[in-house]
Amino acid sequence: MSTATPNTTTIGRGIQLSGVSKLFGDLEVLKDVTLNVDDGEVVVLIGASGSGKSTLLRIMSGLETSTTGEVVVGGVPMHDPKRAPEIRGHVGMVFQQFNLFPHLDALGNVTLALRKVYKMSKADADAKGMQVLARVGMDDRAHHQPSQLSGGQQQRVAIARALAVDPRIIFFDEATSALDPELVGEVTNVMRSLADDGMTMVVVTHEMGFARRTADRVLFMADGVIAEQGTPEELFGNPQHPRTVQFLSKIAEA
Amino acid sequence: MNVSLIWQSLPFLWTGFLMTLGLAAVSIAGSTVLGLAVAALRTSRPPLLRGLGRAYVELFRGSPIPITLLFVYFGAALYLGYGVNLFVAAAVGLSVYHSAFVAEIIRAGIEAVPVGQHEAAQILGLKPAQSFRWVVLPQTVKIAVPPLVGQYISLIKDTSIASIIGLAEMMKVGQSIVDRTGDPVSIYLTVAVLYFIVCYPLSLWVTRSQRRAI
Amino acid sequence: MFEYQWRTVLAYWPDYLHAAVLALQITVVGFLLAFVIASAAALARNSASAILRFVATCYVEAIRNTPVLLQIFIVYFALPSFGIRLSAVTAGTIALGINVGAYLTEVLRAGISSVGKGQLEAAQILGLSTRTVLLNVVAPQALRNVYPALVNNLIQVLLGTALLSAIAVPEITGVATVVNARTLLFVQVFGIAVALYLVLSYGLSAVATLVERLSFKTPTGRRTRKRTPAPTLTGASS
């Protein structure tokens, strides 16, 4: 019984952005951003609302296109509209609003892409589905509808859904921002274990604890540029840029 | 109220009743299929297609049904000679007219599905057609069914308008009986009751589903 | 050849014009009748008396679950059996008024319930009579909130006049059928009829919008040029 997806050899590694800008009408949300993410690296983006971090994430995952600049994700030139669709199914995304399919149960959510895109048989897809659900600790609720699950449980199912297609990279867009505080831990724990297993992750978050413990590199964004970046120790312990200092002190007050 | 007259007329009214139901069933199917196509036009990306869909909807929603029906009937009569099948003409007219409303209901259903659903499907690798079929459409159906049934109830009532082109549905049969016997009160009230028996349960279902949705 | 067809049909413009005027008259009178009936029925459905509620509900459900053509036939053909003999135009207007009145009842009910309970309590404390509350507090807000639905139903009356051709009222559809019988140019004949209906409905909508702008003042009591806010049925008044 095969539980692998035909997904592992087709694309390259890492993310390379150079000179990326994004305009929404007259508003310049991203200004000339250059960034490299290595295979297996966990990069965390922090910053105030409107700093451009979510837009940057959506450009990397293919949901938005950059106005200028080069975006190469897993070897796929995303800025080339003809080749950008190649990325689909090779990266995963976990959304703030979960975006689980309400008409399918947990297992159904996880296996939909396996059955429709990778044409796996129901038996194979279900086996793989249960495997990833177990990975996030949700295998005992495989047949629950999303409406029957708590926020944290739904988000874990969403992570399992992203994992099922064996992506190279997973993007997390404020994955815990919509959760009640006591549910945040179960999700960040899963994210931590993915990082420990070597998944390449780009995470936009407000959870500084997660950034401190799990990130290989933290990027602070302000007004559409990467104001400062470094290891968690460097950025949190010894911030250089005045905006970073300002932002971190505001967080500390809260 | 002439009960014996009503009793005697029932067999004829029953024939008309079956014709009404048959016409309604065919027109419901026809308007749904057409409505889906027009809804697809309305939600497509090229502005020309969207504009076409919009024009179609505005045209039929802004004209009275009799005109649509008469247009189809006389058009068919002129181009096919007078061997026009009244049932087919009525079915086409009703289907086309109501498809404009069905299209708007389906379009509203599609637009009510959050954008995030489609994005999640896209990231997972589903192509747009697959995303529509397996993620958006199931949710659209759930939202759109109660208003659609409401529209079908209107359609059932509108089958009565086929009487103006002479189709022997329930309204026309009732008319003929009244012309023969001269007792409009008994007959028309009976016909009213017959329509009511079909439509009222459906109306109740629609009200109940919409209350549950809230 | 094509031009000849159009000229032939357009030669009937006086008939079309009279038909359009008649349709407008029936629409306006029918809608006013519908409004009066609907106001009474909406209040009845909200009343404390179970009998009133039952009667009003029966009216609404009976009308909404039977075809309007049948209702027209009943008013025109069945009432004479009770000694009430009406002209086709009168019968048609009354039938349309009764029909749209049922749908308007639901619209007005929604409008009434959209006026927040807090206002009624405030009015009660101030000692305002029920009548004053209804006319000066509830009605203005209810009407403003459901105004688009009101206009919709007005258009429905207009489209309903087309069915009156079945009882030989010389409105637009009736005239078109006659002209078609004479010329057989059904495309032009019914095309012009559709155009007339579209013109009339857009015209009615425009007039209705004008009326809305002129009658609905802002909460401060001053008339403004601004469009009234989108109606909500959740009780949120501006």
Side-chain angles (χ1 to χ4, degrees):
Chain A
M1 189 162 60
S2 146
T3 53
T5 56
N7 201 0
T8 43
T9 54
T10 43
I11 65 165
R13 297 170 184 274
I15 302 174
Q16 299 85 33
L17 274 68
S18 99
V20 170
S21 303
K22 176 70 180 175
L23 279 126
F24 283 119
D26 282 339
L27 186 64
E28 199 176 13
V29 174
L30 289 174
K31 303 174 184 149
D32 200 28
V33 173
T34 298
L35 170 66
N36 276 313
V37 178
D38 293 325
D39 193 42
E41 203 182 352
V42 175
V43 170
V44 173
L45 300 175
I46 62 173
S49 304
S51 55
K53 48 193 203 305
S54 277
T55 311
L56 190 61
L57 201 75
R58 288 168 65 91
I59 287 178
M60 287 193 265
S61 61
L63 291 174
E64 309 262 7
T65 42
S66 57
T67 312
T68 64
E70 280 202 355
V71 181
V72 180
V73 178
V76 175
M78 305 286 289
H79 49 274
D80 179 355
K82 274 195 290 264
R83 294 200 56 199
E86 291 172 25
I87 200 64
R88 292 193 191 154
H90 294 281
V91 298
M93 179 112 161
V94 179
F95 300 84
Q96 182 176 2
Q97 301 300 328
F98 324 144
N99 288 336
L100 286 182
F101 307 132
H103 56 292
L104 301 173
D105 62 14
L107 187 62
N109 263 274
V110 172
T111 56
L112 182 67
L114 296 178
R115 280 181 293 121
K116 299 296 167 190
V117 179
Y118 300 99
K119 316 278 188 217
M120 288 175 89
S121 73
K122 187 164 192 316
D124 288 343
D126 282 356
K128 174 97 190 187
M130 290 303 290
Q131 198 181 47
V132 287
L133 280 173
R135 178 82 179 69
V136 303
M138 287 299 296
D139 49 323
D140 56 339
R141 313 259 173 144
H143 295 289
H144 280 62
Q145 300 286 132
S147 55
Q148 298 171 297
L149 301 173
S150 75
Q153 292 169 331
Q154 289 186 54
Q155 196 62 302
R156 284 192 278 153
V157 172
I159 296 177
R161 182 178 64 175
L163 281 176
V165 297
D166 291 321
R168 261 270 140 68
I169 305 166
I170 301 189
F171 299 103
F172 293 82
D173 191 357
E174 305 214 26
T176 55
S177 296
L179 296 177
D180 292 334
E182 68 269 16
L183 302 174
V184 168
E186 62 189 81
V187 174
T188 51
N189 284 339
V190 170
M191 290 166 71
R192 171 82 198 228
S193 79
L194 290 181
D196 290 341
D197 281 351
M199 176 70 73
T200 313
M201 293 162 61
V202 183
V203 179
V204 170
T205 187
H206 294 300
E207 295 293 319
M208 299 303 152
F210 173 82
R212 247 185 253 266
R213 278 181 307 239
T214 316
D216 292 320
R217 210 177 0 141
V218 178
L219 274 59
F220 171 71
M221 291 193 67
D223 297 328
V225 295
I226 300 175
E228 191 171 346
Q229 56 178 298
T231 65
E233 299 75 32
E234 287 166 9
L235 197 108
F236 291 116
N238 193 13
Q240 304 290 312
H241 197 283
R243 293 291 296 274
T244 321
V245 176
Q246 201 181 42
F247 180 75
L248 290 178
S249 67
K250 285 223 187 83
I251 302 263
E253 278 166 32
Chain B
M1 269 307 232
N2 191 338
V3 181
S4 70
L5 173 64
I6 298 176
W7 190 250
Q8 285 170 342
S9 315
L10 277 180
F12 301 101
L13 288 176
W14 177 249
T15 326
F17 185 73
L18 290 178
M19 178 69 86
T20 295
L21 288 184
L23 179 59
V26 172
S27 306
I28 287 175
S31 62
T32 308
V33 168
L34 266 175
L36 268 168
V38 176
L41 278 181
R42 287 282 262 145
T43 52
S44 63
R45 237 174 290 148
L48 185 66
L49 292 182
R50 277 207 311 271
L52 217 68
R54 175 109 193 262
Y56 182 95
V57 169
E58 294 285 317
L59 177 65
F60 289 109
R61 297 214 315 188
S63 6
I65 314 178
I67 299 228
T68 306
L69 219 64
L70 289 170
F71 195 91
V72 170
Y73 174 67
F74 285 115
L78 238 53
Y79 287 115
L80 306 174
Y82 271 87
V84 172
N85 184 319
L86 293 177
F87 184 88
V88 171
V92 169
L94 283 174
S95 299
V96 167
Y97 178 79
H98 281 270
S99 66
F101 296 85
V102 169
E104 286 302 280
I105 294 173
I106 294 178
R107 180 177 74 93
I110 292 177
E111 289 176 2
V113 177
V115 151
Q117 290 290 306
H118 177 73
E119 287 185 346
Q122 186 187 338
I123 293 258
L124 285 172
L126 274 85
K127 298 198 214 67
Q130 291 175 315
S131 162
F132 183 76
R133 168 74 186 84
W134 298 105
V135 174
V136 176
L137 193 59
Q139 299 183 58
T140 302
V141 167
K142 227 175 263 184
I143 297 172
V145 164
L148 270 182
V149 173
Q151 192 59 37
Y152 296 152
I153 296 175
S154 291
L155 205 161
I156 295 174
K157 292 187 289 176
D158 286 344
T159 56
S160 60
I161 303 179
S163 62
I164 67 176
I165 60 171
L167 182 66
E169 45 68 62
M170 193 153 65
M171 186 78 197
K172 183 92 184 98
V173 169
Q175 261 179 287
S176 322
I177 300 178
V178 170
D179 285 342
R180 258 204 335 262
T181 64
D183 184 354
V185 177
S186 312
I187 300 298
Y188 284 142
L189 283 180
T190 311
V191 172
V193 168
L194 287 172
Y195 276 110
F196 191 81
I197 298 176
V198 175
C199 296
Y200 188 57
L202 291 173
S203 300
L204 279 180
W205 184 88
V206 173
T207 321
R208 210 169 300 149
S209 339
Q210 287 184 315
R211 207 170 293 154
R212 245 187 284 127
I214 300 174
Chain C
M1 179 60 189
F2 202 57
E3 204 204 307
Y4 160 76
Q5 291 178 328
W6 280 100
R7 266 195 284 127
T8 315
V9 176
L10 282 170
Y12 286 93
W13 73 266
D15 302 285
Y16 274 112
L17 190 62
H18 285 128
V21 169
L22 181 60
L24 257 183
Q25 288 171 329
I26 298 176
T27 303
V28 172
V29 177
F31 183 76
L32 288 174
L33 177 65
F35 192 82
V36 170
I37 297 177
S39 306
L43 290 175
R45 290 208 46 175
N46 282 352
S47 90
S49 155
I51 303 177
L52 276 180
R53 281 202 308 268
F54 181 71
V55 169
T57 308
C58 283
Y59 158 64
V60 171
E61 292 302 329
I63 296 292
R64 287 173 26 143
N65 290 294
T66 52
V68 52
L69 187 61
L70 180 62
Q71 293 159 18
I72 294 172
F73 274 40
I74 289 179
V75 171
Y76 187 57
F77 292 116
L79 283 191
S81 304
F82 298 105
I84 309 174
R85 217 164 283 271
L86 301 161
S87 73
V89 173
T90 315
T93 311
I94 293 178
L96 286 178
I98 294 177
N99 180 271
V100 176
Y103 293 93
L104 264 185
T105 308
E106 292 306 292
V107 172
L108 291 183
R109 277 185 68 209
I112 293 175
S113 47
S114 75
V115 179
K117 276 236 152 59
Q119 303 220 13
L120 301 177
E121 291 177 347
Q124 191 180 23
I125 303 250
L126 283 170
L128 296 173
S129 74
T130 315
R131 216 192 112 181
T132 314
V133 171
L134 273 174
L135 283 176
N136 297 80
V137 177
V138 176
Q141 296 188 64
L143 290 176
R144 177 204 277 171
N145 287 345
V146 298
Y147 201 78
L150 288 180
V151 178
N152 253 331
N153 277 282
L154 175 65
I155 307 293
Q156 286 308 110
V157 181
L158 173 67
L159 296 181
T161 60
L163 291 172
L164 300 185
S165 57
I167 56 173
V169 167
E171 48 69 58
I172 302 174
T173 308
V175 163
T177 317
V178 168
V179 176
N180 180 57
R182 283 206 208 131
T183 65
L184 291 187
L185 298 170
F186 73 101
V187 173
Q188 286 78 1
V189 170
F190 290 116
I192 293 180
V194 169
L196 269 177
Y197 280 110
L198 288 174
V199 165
L200 285 176
S201 52
Y202 284 127
L204 281 171
S205 295
V207 171
T209 309
L210 195 65
V211 169
E212 183 188 20
R213 241 170 252 203
L214 291 178
S215 29
F216 290 125
K217 310 169 193 167
T218 63
T220 60
R222 267 186 286 123
R223 294 182 192 200
T224 70
R225 294 244 152 252
K226 245 191 324 162
R227 212 135 161 48
T228 54
T232 67
L233 297 176
T234 58
S237 46
S238 64

